[in-house]
Amino acid sequence: MILPWIPLLALLGVVVPLLTRQRGRRFCSLATAAPAILALLLVFSQVPALLAGDLPRFQLAWVPQLGLDLAFRLDGLSLLFVSLILGIGLLILLYAHYYLEAHEPFARFYSFLMLFMLSMVGIVMADNLLLLWLFWELTSLSSFLLIGFWSHWTDARKGARMALTVTGAGGLALLAGLLLLGDMAGSFDLGVVLESREAILADPRYPLMLVLVLLGAFTKSAQFPFHFWLPHAMAAPTPVSAYLHSATMVKAGIFLMARLHPAIAGSEAWELIVTLTGMATLLYGAWFALLKTDLKAILAFSTVSHLGLITVLLGIGSPLAILAALFHILNHATFKAALFMSAGIIDHETGTRELGRLGGLRRAMPVTALLTSLTAAAMAGVPLFNGFLSKEMFFAEAAASPLLGGLSWLLPVLATLGGILSVAYSLRLVHAVFFKPARKAPPKSPHEPPRLMRAPVELLAALCVLVGLLPVIAEVPLGLAVEAVLLTPLEFHLAIWHGLNLPLLMSVIALIAGVLLYALHAHLRQFGRQFSPMDARLIFEGAVQRLMTWSERLTVRLENGSLQRYMSWLLGAALLLGAIGLLQLPSLAGARPTQEADGILLLGAALMIFGALGTVATHRYRLISLLMLSVVGLVVSLTFARFSAPDLALTQLSVEVVTMILLMLALFFLPQKTPRESSAGRNIRDLGLAASLGMVVASLNYAVLTRDNHGISDFFIANSVPGGGGHNVVNVILVDFRGFDTLGEITVLALAGLAIFKLLNRLRLFMPHSDGEGRVWSPDRYPLILTSVSQALLPLALLVSAFIFLRGHNLPGGGFIAGLITAVALILVYMARGVEWTQQRLDFQYQPVAIAGVAIATLTGLGSWLFGRPFLTSAFGHFHIPAIGDIELATAMLFDLGVYLAVVGATLMILANLGKLTTPHRPSKEEKH
Amino acid sequence: MLDTALWISLTLVLAALALNVYRLTVGPDMPDRLLALDTMYVNSIALIVLLGLWLNTKTYFEAALLIAMLGFISTVAVCKYLLRGDIIE
């Protein structure tokens, strides 16, 4: 149970700085360090178990359907990386405490840093591929925040964006790769995956999976040709560069390759891709490290180069190569983090990182000069430093690798070349900064940094020397890590002296030639100048801009703001899909005989068609067109009545009248005539679309009606009474079988009502003083006849509404129709009596009504949980009430009440508020009830 | 006997509906059209009741009730619109 606490403590560390920021930076730094120290202690507490041969694991099902578990493990490899992440993280925290300026938001910085620490710890401890990927993405996000920390600076923003794009794209490839891998292995559990090497290698999808996973690893670890983001990520504050871009995040790709090594490595494809990519990266990075003049850029390219070196070793893949890779990970993390921090100190104390303005600093900063020299020597691979040991192992493995067959001599030669370059740029770094006389004075007069700011560098430099002199101390952690990668223990011994052999010769050549190369450095730079400078950022930004323009153009084509265009896309898609469905039918007509057409039907059809055509023909005269449309609506509801769909007929009628009122309200503010706008071409398009859609829909209807369909309707008819307790199947479907849909619909209705209410807020529209033909309005605002009739109608309408509502479960009716009737009856009062009069008598807002409706419906649904049933299970029973007799009550009735209230509230919210626009009672912010 | 009466009434109601649509189309004025629509509502009530008699069912009578009530409100809304423009004031 200790394992989950390690990431949890890191998670705690994310919150702590934000909570303690008021107490000053010193307190905040200490409080942030505390969880990390505790986590590190917890990690060390597991070492005895690991040494005893146990594998601490923790597993908690998270989304078992996806195979995603909250699973952690702490094997040797995780141990190595977790110690590195937490240990260097703590040093970085100490360093950042002094590095950040007083005015900078240090708490936010710490919080981002700890978030990053959490995600790295997650990656290296994850025992589940999907969990690993989640943390992987979290590192991309948190590093984006860290690189862009100085967000006022455009370089920082662009660098952050580039890093996020490259590593994010790689992360997507990795997800695809890991999904494939999990599928091949049959589980996302890391233990299972690592054991399924045979199945994975034999799978035909192996090459695809390999490429995808390697894409993820290469982008993260800045391998050629995805290396370009790393130098630009140097726009980050130096603690971030030291932590993310030397010690940890860029090692995540390396870690992934090492982690999955037992499962996916060993094939020829792996060896070729990984080794050659690594070698290209090694040389490319080293060459540019030699040419750059910015201190951090040199370190960035040298990091790229060293990552390439480790990748080569993982590609070679022999047990000793793995050992060398892990050893170099450790060594590189120590000397490169120290070098970055030194660079930060120099930058901090002199105000510049340009080699041209630095020089002769050994007098002003003797200790920093010593520390930098020591760590640079480790980077160069000078004997008696830790870098020497792993580099010599690298030379040995490169020389021994049988890869490339007859050209196998190429690897050691290229490796030596990389070594030469590495010596040259390390030498240049130290010499140009500390020993060469300065050509120009730095902006600030240099001096030593605060004692404790240097402490992390001192510690790491000491480690470089210590491991270099006594390599035995690294044997225990490396042994555990190698065992985790190879799945078997490896007998090995780290020593400084192996006798006079080929690797030693290569080291000697690298040292001598490196010094010579630096001596000829001026010529090299001249040579380098002949190439036109290639700024990766410009290329990248250009590509991003092009992509943006291209997608904008595409978007504008599809989504140009014209409703007609959207409609045509929608209808066109429906047309296409409907037509495809029809094409697959053997014949249009089914087995069912057609019904005899009588005179009533023919006339009804004729009226409907005439109404529809009339609507289109008169569409420029809006009111006439609307009246024509009413004819269609009326005939449609008569058709529903004729063909045994009384519920539909009632609904159609009430919706019809609500639509009419709404349009009358809206039409007042709109022009009476539609101007002639459509071009002939567009008319033809619309006509074609409408006609073909009509034909397809008619054919679909014909096909459906002439066939015996035994779909789900039989189930509803059979179960309506026993399951829902109602004889009206339509209503039982609405409030019971598909109650969840209805709940969604009334929620949307209430939301739409609220949105319209908000939109009407303080809206002032032009009010015409005469009708379309120029006649002034009649002076009679509230005609007497209308007033009297409406008053008589209101109670009757409410009675009908109650009647329709109550009978709804067994006979045609229900909450929706009843709600519309109530709303329309109330609107009639508004029309007949005016807002002032009605407001006095109906003194309440409609928003709460709608919300109460949705709440009642939701609570009814939740109520079934009290009885241990799923959401919205309905219950019903028969009750005997004296004088009234036997009645049936169902919870669905309560749900229907919610529907009723939601409909009343939403309809009135829309109609009444639209009506109030012309009165002093219009919705406005000032008005408080 | 009832059948004959039904058929005669249905024919007349249908003819009335057709004439309503004619009036709705030709106008000439907006009140003419509106009255035509309102009369269509009235005739629809008759049609539904006759259909109920013919099919021997009461199921559709609520539809007639609703048309009687709501059709009137529709007409009122349009009337108010023609008279005052602003239907809720």
Side-chain angles (χ1 to χ4, degrees), chain A residues 708-727:
Chain A
D708 284 314
N709 274 301
H710 297 287
I712 49 173
S713 49
D714 290 341
F715 168 85
F716 289 137
I717 292 166
N719 285 285
S720 175
V721 175
H727 291 276

Side-chain angles (χ1 to χ4, degrees), chain B residues 1-11 49-51 53-54:
Chain B
M1 185 61 199
L2 185 63
D3 270 0
T4 321
L6 260 176
W7 277 115
I8 295 170
S9 339
L10 272 173
T11 315
V49 174
L50 287 173
L51 271 177
L53 287 175
W54 181 32

Side-chain angles (χ1 to χ4, degrees), chain A residues 641 672 778 807 834-835 918, chain B residues 24 60 62 81 83-84 86 89:
Chain A
Q672 299 301 302
S778 147
R807 73 203 287 264
V835 175
T918 56
Chain B
L24 178 59
Y60 308 118
E62 280 78 27
Y81 175 76
L83 282 174
R84 302 263 324 146
D86 187 11
E89 52 189 340

Side-chain angles (χ1 to χ4, degrees), chain A residues 590-601:
Chain A
R592 244 179 167 184
T594 49
Q595 212 172 339
E596 205 65 44
D598 55 39
I600 307 178
L601 284 181

Side-chain angles (χ1 to χ4, degrees), chain A residues 78-91:
Chain A
S78 309
L79 178 72
L80 181 75
F81 272 91
V82 169
S83 325
L84 216 61
I85 292 160
L86 293 173
I88 295 194
L90 281 167
L91 295 181

Side-chain angles (χ1 to χ4, degrees), chain A residues 372-665:
Chain A
T372 312
S373 307
L374 290 177
T375 42
M379 176 160 80
V382 175
L384 304 184
F385 291 96
N386 59 356
F388 169 72
L389 298 168
S390 46
K391 193 162 266 185
E392 197 159 64
M393 288 160 83
F394 165 61
F395 287 154
E397 289 311 310
S401 165
L403 200 72
L404 299 179
L407 287 178
S408 63
W409 54 269
L410 203 55
L411 276 187
V413 169
L414 292 176
T416 316
L417 184 59
I420 295 171
L421 290 168
S422 172
V423 170
Y425 67 68
S426 305
L427 185 59
R428 172 168 173 244
L429 183 76
V430 174
H431 183 254
V433 174
F434 294 105
F435 296 95
K436 207 165 77 176
R439 271 179 289 173
K440 246 198 257 176
K444 284 200 259 180
S445 68
H447 54 85
E448 282 288 341
R451 178 73 191 76
L452 278 173
M453 186 174 182
R454 223 172 46 208
V457 189
E458 285 166 1
L459 186 66
L460 290 172
L463 270 176
C464 287
V465 179
L466 192 65
V467 173
L469 292 175
L470 281 173
V472 190
I473 54 171
E475 277 182 11
V476 172
L478 281 178
L480 287 172
V482 166
E483 188 184 337
V485 177
L486 297 175
L487 300 182
T488 51
L490 176 73
E491 278 293 323
F492 68 93
H493 183 63
L494 298 176
I496 304 173
W497 182 250
H498 290 283
L500 287 170
N501 54 9
L502 184 60
L504 188 67
L505 180 67
M506 288 160 80
S507 285
V508 172
I509 293 175
L511 275 174
I512 296 173
V515 176
L516 281 178
L517 192 64
Y518 178 58
L520 299 172
H521 177 250
H523 301 286
L524 270 183
R525 286 193 58 192
Q526 207 134 33
F527 176 67
R529 271 194 214 108
Q530 294 173 353
F531 301 95
S532 57
M534 193 174 63
D535 191 345
R537 196 175 67 209
L538 290 180
I539 300 171
F540 175 80
E541 287 288 326
V544 170
Q545 299 278 343
R546 270 197 301 282
L547 199 64
M548 289 290 286
T549 335
W550 187 74
S551 31
E552 256 165 32
R553 239 182 258 155
L554 185 72
T555 313
V556 165
R557 280 188 78 83
L558 289 171
E559 192 187 331
N560 62 348
S562 150
L563 286 176
Q564 287 89 333
R565 175 73 62 95
Y566 300 166
M567 285 293 276
S568 65
W569 280 114
L570 265 176
L571 294 180
L575 177 69
L576 193 71
L577 293 177
I580 288 172
L582 277 175
L583 285 176
Q584 285 159 356
L585 285 182
S587 71
L588 179 60
R592 244 179 167 184
T594 49
Q595 212 172 339
E596 205 65 44
D598 55 39
I600 307 178
L601 284 181
L602 287 178
L603 186 79
L607 288 183
M608 186 151 56
I609 292 168
F610 183 84
L613 289 176
T615 310
V616 176
T618 58
H619 77 276
R620 290 188 51 233
Y621 303 89
R622 293 178 169 177
L623 188 55
I624 301 180
S625 183
L626 201 57
L627 294 182
M628 285 291 184
L629 194 58
S630 296
V631 174
V632 180
L634 182 66
V635 182
V636 167
S637 33
L638 289 176
T639 317
F640 283 143
R642 169 69 181 82
F643 289 106
S644 330
D647 282 280
L648 294 185
L650 297 180
T651 311
Q652 174 71 31
L653 283 167
S654 21
V655 168
E656 199 62 33
V657 66
V658 171
T659 314
M660 185 61 107
I661 295 170
L662 179 69
L663 287 174
M664 287 299 111
L665 283 167

